[in-house]
Amino acid sequence: MDPRALPANWPYRSAAARRRVGPIDWWVIDTGPADGPVLLLLHGLGASGHSFRKMIPGLSARYRVIVPDLPGHGCSRSTARHRFGLKPMAEDLWKLCQHLGVTPAAVIGHSAGGAIALQLALDTPVPRVVGINAALDHFEGVAGGGLPDDGAGSGCPALHRALGDALRGVPATDRPAS
């Protein structure tokens, strides 16, 4: 979707911008205190950052909240469809974080976003992951076509171990967002 087609009252439209990083034209919401600890929110397959519209107000009062539309979803576009697997997606998200000059204190992922968040934590210095109804197992049939296998069999054992160390004491800023 072209972000210019979004209604004027679209949640967080004024806090979102295009960010071109490599083959991906990201649509990214960036809100909350600029110097606050960063939370990266990742939506699931077939969704968009809009999925978090009701969570953002509570989080952005004390955290810098970054919510990208994943490539091929919402307003983000990619010319590299071969990068839609867990590992390449995590690599591209890390490049986006580097472009924004941030290291998330935690990544919150819903559904397939939870699996991507765990892969990101395995490959980068992201210290904490929160999975909301995280899709961490192999799915049979049509449901299994959403994300390719990451090459580690079911793709899950290491991700499950990482979840065990997930969210421990993410600090918040003492200043509310202005």
Side-chain angles (χ1 to χ4, degrees):
M1 166 182 273
D2 185 334
R4 294 173 295 190
L6 294 173
N9 65 347
W10 190 260
Y12 297 97
R13 181 179 179 175
S14 63
R18 285 241 187 247
R19 304 284 185 206
R20 182 74 180 188
V21 182
I24 302 172
D25 192 16
W26 298 91
W27 179 250
V28 183
I29 297 169
D30 188 346
T31 189
D35 61 345
V38 174
L39 299 180
L40 178 65
L41 279 58
L42 304 177
H43 62 78
L45 190 65
S48 71
H50 185 259
S51 302
F52 293 109
R53 69 190 175 281
K54 293 185 178 181
M55 286 180 66
I56 294 171
L59 295 173
S60 65
R62 300 186 64 175
Y63 297 94
R64 180 176 176 189
V65 179
I66 297 175
V67 189
D69 284 353
L70 295 175
H73 295 75
C75 295
S76 289
R77 296 290 170 254
S78 176
T79 59
R81 293 185 54 87
H82 66 282
R83 304 217 32 94
F84 283 8
L86 285 177
K87 192 158 184 69
M89 186 84 61
E91 291 167 356
D92 292 338
L93 280 161
W94 185 245
K95 289 174 187 172
L96 174 65
C97 289
Q98 291 175 316
H99 176 80
L100 296 172
V102 301
T103 299
V107 181
I108 300 171
H110 173 252
S111 189
I116 297 166
L118 287 170
Q119 185 66 53
L120 188 63
L122 288 171
D123 297 342
T124 70
V126 169
R128 296 170 187 90
V129 170
V130 176
I132 302 170
N133 197 26
L136 302 178
D137 205 351
H138 175 74
F139 295 96
E140 299 295 330
V142 175
L147 287 172
D149 187 1
D150 67 358
S154 71
C156 296
L159 298 178
H160 284 289
R161 284 192 301 277
L163 185 57
D165 295 326
L167 186 64
R168 298 195 205 296
V170 175
T173 184
D174 291 330
R175 292 189 325 222
S178 51

